[in-house]
Amino acid sequence: MQSAKSLSQVGSWKASLRLTYEMKHNKTVLAEREHSGPFKVQRSLYPEGLDCCHTYLLHPPGGLVNGDHLLLDVNCRQHSHVLITTPSAGKAYACASKTARQDQRLRVGKGATLEFLPQEMIVFNAAKVELSTHVRLAGDAKLMLFDCVVLGLSAGDELFVDGEVSQSIIIQRNRMPLLIEKMAFSAADEFCTSIWGLNGNTCVFTLIATPCDDAVLSKVRSLMETLASDVLSSATLIKDVLIVRVLSKESHEAKECLERVWAEVRSDVVNKPASTPRIWMT
């Protein structure tokens, strides 16, 4: 396996994947697929029945470095139900000069449901990366979304002491904004260590779900009381958008918390009991 240092010296790669899902004869199908570069669908599965398609995304290079640009465009047409995840964590490696970018554009039609649950993005020391997610919901579309970032790799003593991260999350319904979040910081910023910022935590995990109500918010807050004491968490409801934050120094703790919240409220949001993707257990 190439080291982050050696990866920072290679040229930039561009890759894109465009997926369109449709409901046909009571089955959600991947109707259109177009890819450029090393970004593909590993496989689609139906562990819950034909109405919900589980899709695993595969990016064989395993990470972003030095000007790489990874684009994902997903279109869930009316009444389809799609759960998208990844077999492993994404990675942003050290960049010699150019910033690496990951853009995720997600469209969800009327009566459709998208559960976009990728595993975490690990930002290695000296990485420069821009992470952007833009979701467009139509009508009564439903959404459950993970956005998970890990700064450095504490298990391997590869701390995030140099580098830059920029994040953007925009969610719209019928072209009106439901949520706009933008954050940019460097490893040297006070934000990473101050109590008003990350307070030394390296795992920043977020779950966003809509539509939700006060009953769902209450359920999530009750669940949070059972979480590990060294995990910081919060839940907020803005109109019908549930936002759950988890800060931790250990990625497995943060991941477990987010997955528990997803499992707890899935039936409320998308009218299905939790069906954990098999790939999460390998």
Side-chain angles (χ1 to χ4, degrees):
M1 182 180 294
Q2 287 179 284
S3 68
K5 182 177 180 180
S6 66
L7 282 167
S8 70
Q9 306 302 318
V10 302
S12 57
W13 288 36
K14 305 290 188 293
S16 64
L17 179 62
R18 291 176 170 82
L19 306 174
T20 299
Y21 294 86
E22 293 180 351
M23 176 64 79
K24 292 184 177 180
H25 308 294
N26 298 317
K27 179 181 180 180
T28 297
V29 297
L30 179 53
E32 299 174 14
R33 174 173 54 186
E34 176 186 346
H35 78 93
S36 173
F39 195 16
K40 301 180 180 180
V41 170
Q42 185 178 28
R43 66 183 308 182
S44 293
L45 302 168
Y46 293 88
E48 303 181 74
L50 298 181
D51 62 321
C52 179
C53 179
H54 286 218
T55 299
Y56 300 162
L57 303 183
L58 186 64
H59 182 227
L64 302 172
V65 63
N66 202 45
D68 286 357
H69 183 196
L70 194 64
L71 169 64
L72 175 65
D73 188 304
V74 176
N75 182 10
C76 301
R77 292 179 176 163
Q78 290 188 26
H79 306 300
S80 60
H81 185 170
V82 183
L83 187 153
I84 295 176
T85 189
T86 55
S88 61
K91 300 173 183 67
Y93 293 106
C95 293
S97 55
K98 299 178 181 178
T99 299
R101 292 169 53 201
Q102 175 178 275
D103 290 323
Q104 299 173 150
R105 303 171 188 172
L106 314 173
R107 288 166 287 163
V108 192
K110 294 179 181 179
T113 299
L114 174 61
E115 297 176 82
F116 187 69
L117 312 173
Q119 298 199 50
E120 67 271 24
M121 170 67 75
I122 301 173
V123 182
F124 284 88
N125 189 47
K128 298 177 181 178
V129 63
E130 295 179 1
L131 306 171
S132 173
T133 300
H134 191 169
V135 185
R136 294 183 175 92
L137 305 172
D140 58 350
K142 299 173 182 178
L143 173 72
M144 297 195 79
L145 173 78
F146 283 179
D147 185 86
C148 307
V149 174
V150 178
L151 303 175
L153 199 62
S154 57
D157 293 325
E158 295 186 38
L159 302 180
F160 185 67
V161 295
D162 180 31
E164 299 174 358
V165 178
S166 173
Q167 277 187 283
S168 172
I169 301 175
I170 299 175
I171 299 176
Q172 297 173 299
R173 188 183 294 278
N174 299 329
R175 302 189 180 223
M176 296 297 292
L178 295 178
L179 179 68
I180 299 176
E181 291 193 346
K182 294 189 177 183
M183 178 171 63
F185 62 91
S186 70
D189 286 348
E190 190 179 359
F191 171 78
C192 294
T193 55
S194 295
I195 194 169
W196 51 264
L198 300 183
N199 197 27
N201 290 288
T202 55
C203 303
V204 187
F205 283 35
T206 303
L207 178 148
I208 298 169
T210 183
C212 294
D213 56 21
D214 289 332
V216 175
L217 177 64
S218 178
K219 181 185 290 190
V220 171
R221 287 179 172 171
S222 295
L223 174 63
M224 286 178 168
E225 293 177 0
T226 70
L227 300 180
S229 59
D230 55 345
V231 172
L232 298 178
S233 62
S234 68
T236 305
L237 188 68
I238 302 177
K239 293 186 177 179
D240 69 349
V241 181
L242 175 72
I243 305 165
V244 177
R245 313 280 191 196
V246 176
L247 297 181
S248 176
K249 293 180 172 64
E250 299 293 338
S251 62
H252 70 276
E253 290 183 347
K255 184 186 297 186
E256 179 183 349
C257 292
L258 224 59
E259 290 177 5
R260 285 182 62 188
V261 173
W262 168 79
E264 181 73 14
V265 304
R266 190 184 192 227
S267 60
D268 298 290
V269 181
V270 306
N271 300 320
K272 275 184 174 287
S275 178
T276 303
R278 230 176 264 173
I279 201 72
W280 290 359
M281 297 179 279
T282 59

